[in-house]
Amino acid sequence: FLILNPYHYFKRAVCKNALNIKTRESRKSFWFFYLGFIYAHFLAAIVAFALAFMIHPFLNIAILPIAAGTFVTIMIIPYIAVFTAIVRRFHDVNQSGWLYVLLVILCYLLGASYMLYQKPPILMIGLALEIIIIYFLIAPPTKGRNRYGERPEI
């Protein structure tokens, strides 16, 4: 049965697979989940700012810290689910999740170095690493079984 509802994939990834880093995630499942994550991201931002504007007159404090705190509280589990879904997607192309962690750490370090030194080659290396991450997210899966299990159905 073909399901094209991003909410279904988002709910499955957040409620059932939020901490699962052992198996594989198909391309279709990952991208529909990510679309659902973007919807949730916008909805959480709207809710966070609405709550901040409702609380602001009573506490007489700045709105932005209230909105930011509410947003982080709402989105902590979905952000963990995104991380684990990306690890599972790397597993689907027979790559270790540690490769993703290494690439992300290098991207952040290069970004910080660029902000300090303003050298364009540093920025280009960081962009190349991000392109490598995107390649693994859109790459075709390995056929059949790999070291992370069977190929997912959806």
Side-chain angles (χ1 to χ4, degrees):
F1 178 63
L2 182 64
I3 300 174
L4 297 177
N5 182 358
Y7 174 73
H8 165 76
Y9 294 100
F10 180 76
K11 185 175 80 171
R12 187 183 76 182
V14 171
C15 296
K16 295 181 183 174
N17 285 334
L19 299 176
N20 176 10
I21 57 170
K22 301 276 185 211
T23 59
R24 297 168 64 175
E25 183 89 18
S26 71
R27 266 191 301 193
K28 178 181 141 190
S29 176
F30 173 78
W31 288 108
F32 273 110
F33 156 68
Y34 200 75
L35 182 61
F37 173 75
I38 291 170
Y39 292 157
H41 207 267
F42 283 123
L43 184 62
I46 290 168
V47 168
F49 274 100
L51 286 173
F53 277 109
M54 290 187 323
I55 293 172
H56 173 67
F58 302 110
L59 297 179
N60 198 18
I61 59 175
I63 293 173
L64 194 56
I66 297 170
T70 306
F71 180 78
V72 168
T73 304
I74 292 170
M75 292 301 292
I76 191 71
I77 299 296
Y79 275 116
I80 293 169
V82 166
F83 173 77
T84 59
I86 292 173
V87 168
R88 289 191 309 271
R89 184 71 198 112
F90 267 60
H91 289 175
D92 198 38
V93 294
N94 208 17
Q95 297 295 323
S96 172
W98 288 109
L99 175 61
Y100 169 64
V101 171
L102 176 68
L103 290 171
V104 167
I105 290 171
L106 289 174
C107 284
Y108 280 114
L109 290 175
L110 288 168
S113 297
Y114 177 74
M115 293 180 79
L116 286 173
Y117 303 114
Q118 299 292 315
K119 303 286 184 192
I122 295 173
L123 184 62
M124 292 300 146
I125 295 169
L127 289 174
L129 292 174
E130 290 174 10
I131 290 170
I132 291 170
I133 292 172
I134 291 171
Y135 167 76
F136 284 124
L137 294 178
I138 62 174
T142 54
K143 302 286 185 208
R145 184 173 178 76
N146 69 14
R147 61 185 169 161
Y148 299 104
E150 291 294 327
R151 186 172 178 184
E153 294 292 320
I154 15 178

